[in-house]
Amino acid sequence: MKILLYNPDNGVTRNFMPHLWMFLLQALTPPGHEVVLIDGNAQPMDEESIARYVREQNIGLVGIGAMTRMIAKAYRMADAVRAAGVKVVMGGPHVTEMADEALGRDGGSRHADAVALGEADETWPRIVEDAARGTLKDVYAPVDDFGQERKPSLQPYPEIPWDKIKLEQFNLLPGIVHPLLRRVGAGWGTFRIIPVESGRGCPYGCEFCTVTGFFGDSIRFRTNESVVNELLLLKERAKEEGGQIAVFFIDDNFAINVKRTKSLLRDIIAANAQVHWVAQISANLLRDEELVDLIAAAGGKWIFIGMESIDPANLADVKKGFNKPGEYAVVLDRLARRNVFAITSFIFGMDNDSPGVAERTMKEIRTWPAGLPIFGLMTPLPGTPLYKKLEAAGRLTRPKHWQEFIPFAMAHTPLKMSIDEAHNEVRIGWASSYSPEAIEKAVDSLNHKPLGYRISIFIARLCFRGIYFPQMGRFAWLKSILENRRTIFKLLRQGFGGGLHAAVPSVAIEPVTGQRH
Ligand code: B12
Ligand code: SF4
């Protein structure tokens, strides 16, 4: 059987990193079946083109995965595939919570022939075999013989054949820059960001987050050896194709067990498996100087920190009181001293937020080492304690907000400001962090660092502004480059002063679209 795994685009920004679930399920597919992957971010498709594709390619089963934000598109694509006569199985965090919606049991129309609940590592081989036999069931749940939920242990972990997988769709370097990069130096033929997980689960249970409910509060880790081998494989591939590879450790809290993280980082260093990497770590775990030393020595370049708010009352309200705003600056300085920078994520529209919250937050941010601040709105995702709380209080204004997804739009009214005011605060956050003046200031604040870091933060800021300000086509990019020409000229002058090689950024970064860990 030929199987297509498809992940829809979110229609707003491009995610440059491929989704891990596709590669994982591909690696877990029983022998005898062929699996093709299409990521809508890299290969945009509409309903008509996916229907044509499955017919022309003689696809026997389509697997679709999606977060809540992309689910409306996922359903439209699933409908088109089913209308073409091909079975659809859906999985991921949204349909796990809303299986009845996907199966048309809630009064709406049916979108999927089958739904895989929760982690599908162990159910996927069964789904494939049932589909091949024509005996696909409606629901596949990860349970043991006694009907108890079972979480995959991650030991052993499947070997993802990164040395052979076709990754053409995930090269971040547009063809237009290839000749320039060839002149700059060898090793810039390709640049990819690859997702790698070293563990799953987070016990913290923040009210707005899907993770504790979905992956459970028992944390599971791969062996150090299996992670190190994966990094070595990726490093080897980059070398062979004369390109660059960076890794995004997608663990929700990469240092949730500090002892284990240190031992993994030591093993990465000992095996010379360092690549440049990004990871998500909560601020409370970054108090440990030795951990931060090891992060830097093992290739860590950017740490994503879910700060959420600078107001302790807000943090306590969403059960994230372990975040201490008073120590944010110290944590960021500790990282910056090792040339590790932070993606700092904030949520506006929390219940203790009032108009002016963006400026109050910006005032703090301006005292921190330059990084990449991102701003989102409090969003009740299905299945989370936040959703249940707001629903019970009758505060949801758009209870099924995912059916008509609108980027940066609230689905409930905060207590101390209106929805419009909350939207305005997010706009202020983005505008004052990503204006040409703010970008120039951030780059200038790193004047004491090697030029590579300044270029790196400049490129990253240009990419990150696209999370909020539409920046999809060439024209939008050109406009953004023109607006930032002062900073570009400055960097070029310094680059030519110090030799062009010094100007090649040591690490670039994906324009992630605002993610809380
Ligand atoms: C990496 C990541 C991203 C990446 C993007 C995706 C990428 N290229 O990988 C970035 C950083 C860009 C991102 C952004 C966002 N993210 Co995000 N992200 C994650 C993260 C940390 C890891 C995803 C992952 O690879 N997990 C590991 C794999 C193995 O797990 P999995 O994807 O769930 O897949 C398993 C099962 O779900 C199932 N499965 C999944 N798909 C399918 C499909 C089929 C057919 C089958 C059978 C099974 C199946 O099988 C897999 C193996 O068990 C998760 C949290 C988490 N730990 O999962 C959040 C998470 C998915 N993100 C989340 C959110 C909310 C966002 C944002 C909306 C945040 C924001 N406020 O802006 C944005 C929007 C994204 C967008 N572009 O539209 C939520 C989603 C909740 C929901 N109900 O949708 C999560 C769960 C985190 C959270 N705090 O709640 N994210
Ligand atoms: S927001 Fe981060 S720390 Fe909180 S439960 Fe989710 S993954 Fe854990």
Side-chain angles (χ1 to χ4, degrees):
M1 184 171 60
K2 198 167 173 186
I3 303 165
L4 166 66
L5 297 180
Y6 171 77
N7 202 99
D9 60 293
N10 65 51
V12 182
T13 53
R14 184 180 161 192
N15 280 341
F16 287 95
M17 181 174 70
H19 291 264
L20 181 59
W21 70 266
M22 301 174 131
F23 299 102
L24 201 55
L25 296 192
Q26 185 180 36
L28 289 165
T29 302
H33 304 283
E34 187 191 345
V35 183
V36 277
L37 313 181
I38 295 186
D39 188 321
N41 287 292
Q43 293 187 46
M45 265 193 174
D46 59 14
E47 291 87 321
E48 208 179 297
S49 48
I50 198 165
R52 196 174 334 112
Y53 183 88
V54 295
R55 271 195 304 263
E56 285 173 5
Q57 297 295 316
N58 200 20
I59 301 284
L61 176 70
V62 177
I64 302 182
M67 297 182 205
T68 296
R69 179 177 160 130
M70 286 93 103
I71 204 68
K73 168 94 189 237
Y75 287 155
R76 288 199 301 275
M77 298 301 264
D79 294 347
V81 171
R82 293 181 79 233
V86 178
K87 297 274 185 210
V88 171
V89 52
M90 295 187 78
H94 184 86
V95 297
T96 296
E97 297 299 339
M98 304 297 297
D100 285 351
E101 179 182 87
L103 292 167
R105 292 175 177 171
D106 67 345
S109 53
R110 184 170 186 152
H111 308 288
D113 295 286
V115 163
L117 302 180
E119 294 172 61
D121 309 52
E122 290 173 359
T123 46
W124 175 246
R126 231 176 335 123
I127 295 172
V128 172
E129 297 299 12
D130 282 0
R133 275 197 304 267
T135 57
L136 202 57
K137 296 178 193 59
D138 284 0
V139 177
Y140 289 83
V143 289
D144 62 19
D145 295 341
F146 305 102
Q148 296 293 316
E149 191 184 13
R150 192 165 76 184
K151 301 273 178 206
S153 80
L154 306 191
Q155 293 189 21
Y157 189 82
E159 217 171 90
I160 301 179
W162 290 117
D163 49 341
K164 297 188 203 84
I165 287 178
K166 287 188 191 151
L167 289 172
E168 287 71 27
Q169 56 180 319
F170 302 114
N171 187 2
L172 301 192
L173 298 175
I176 194 169
V177 303
H178 285 173
L180 177 70
L181 287 170
R182 262 198 298 276
R183 288 185 58 190
V184 167
W188 278 92
T190 54
F191 176 62
R192 311 181 200 284
I193 300 182
I194 301 295
V196 171
E197 62 181 335
S198 85
R200 285 186 200 164
C202 175
Y204 287 175
C206 305
E207 203 176 48
F208 51 77
C209 177
T210 311
V211 169
T212 307
F214 187 85
F215 289 101
D217 51 10
S218 77
I219 310 152
R220 291 146 290 146
F221 298 116
R222 293 168 63 181
T223 61
N224 288 358
E225 193 191 1
S226 134
V227 179
V228 167
N229 286 344
E230 190 166 350
L231 296 182
L232 288 171
L233 201 60
L234 285 166
K235 217 172 159 175
E236 189 53 36
R237 173 160 189 164
K239 201 168 133 199
E240 262 169 26
E241 60 187 22
Q244 303 284 324
I245 267 182
V247 158
F248 189 136
F249 281 114
I250 56 90
D251 307 34
D252 290 292
N253 213 333
F254 185 60
I256 190 71
N257 178 332
V258 173
K259 202 168 148 212
R260 195 281 326 196
T261 308
K262 285 183 182 173
S263 109
L264 172 63
L265 296 176
R266 285 195 190 99
D267 283 2
I268 290 174
I269 298 164
N272 195 22
Q274 292 102 320
V275 293
H276 290 157
W277 52 263
V278 188
Q280 312 180 88
I281 303 181
S282 57
N284 58 321
L285 301 172
L286 291 164
R287 290 175 191 142
D288 187 322
E289 297 275 350
E290 189 189 31
L291 173 70
V292 183
D293 278 341
L294 285 167
I295 288 173
K301 294 288 167 203
W302 291 90
I303 302 296
F304 185 105
I305 307 178
M307 294 186 157
E308 328 302 7
S309 176
I310 54 162
D311 175 358
N314 268 333
L315 292 164
D317 193 39
V318 296
K319 312 279 179 293
K320 198 157 183 172
F322 57 86
N323 262 11
K324 305 287 177 213
E327 70 176 356
Y328 288 170
V330 182
V331 162
L332 296 176
D333 279 333
R334 189 173 293 133
L335 290 171
R337 277 203 305 278
R338 276 101 169 164
N339 290 330
V340 180
F341 295 94
I343 303 164
T344 49
S345 166
F346 295 92
I347 305 173
F348 294 154
M350 288 177 144
D351 277 349
N352 203 39
D353 280 345
S354 54
V357 60
E359 189 40 43
R360 288 193 291 279
T361 309
M362 287 308 303
K363 215 170 136 200
E364 288 283 309
I365 293 177
R366 286 187 202 109
T367 67
W368 299 342
L372 295 167
I374 56 179
F375 308 91
L377 284 156
M378 200 59 170
T379 307
L381 294 168
T384 56
L386 175 72
Y387 191 96
K388 290 171 193 154
K389 179 175 97 176
L390 294 172
E391 188 179 37
R395 289 179 56 196
L396 294 173
T397 50
R398 293 188 297 133
K400 297 221 168 163
H401 53 91
W402 51 89
Q403 289 180 347
E404 274 173 82
F405 172 71
I406 313 169
F408 294 101
M410 289 197 76
H412 72 282
T413 313
L415 290 182
K416 296 190 177 170
M417 58 180 161
S418 67
I419 288 181
D420 283 347
E421 283 168 337
H423 293 175
N424 191 39
E425 294 298 326
V426 167
R427 194 193 54 74
I428 293 171
W430 282 99
S432 46
S433 303
Y434 292 88
S435 66
E437 298 73 33
I439 294 179
E440 186 178 0
K441 241 186 182 161
V443 173
D444 286 352
S445 75
L446 293 177
N447 269 341
H448 57 295
K449 299 275 183 193
L451 182 59
Y453 287 101
R454 271 169 280 151
I455 296 180
S456 180
I457 201 145
F458 175 66
I459 295 174
R461 284 243 178 177
L462 280 195
C463 293
F464 268 55
R465 77 180 284 292
I467 297 171
Y468 186 82
F469 300 106
Q471 196 165 273
M472 289 287 262
R474 273 185 193 187
F475 179 72
W477 269 95
L478 203 64
K479 186 166 167 257
S480 169
I481 286 169
L482 271 178
E483 282 170 1
N484 286 281
R485 60 189 177 279
R486 264 175 65 95
T487 313
I488 295 173
F489 285 137
K490 259 194 219 174
L491 289 170
L492 280 176
R493 246 196 336 262
Q494 292 160 12
F496 282 110
L500 197 52
H501 279 81
V504 179
S506 60
V507 64
I509 183 88
E510 172 193 30
V512 290
T513 52
Q515 148 72 8
R516 309 153 194 157
H517 70 81

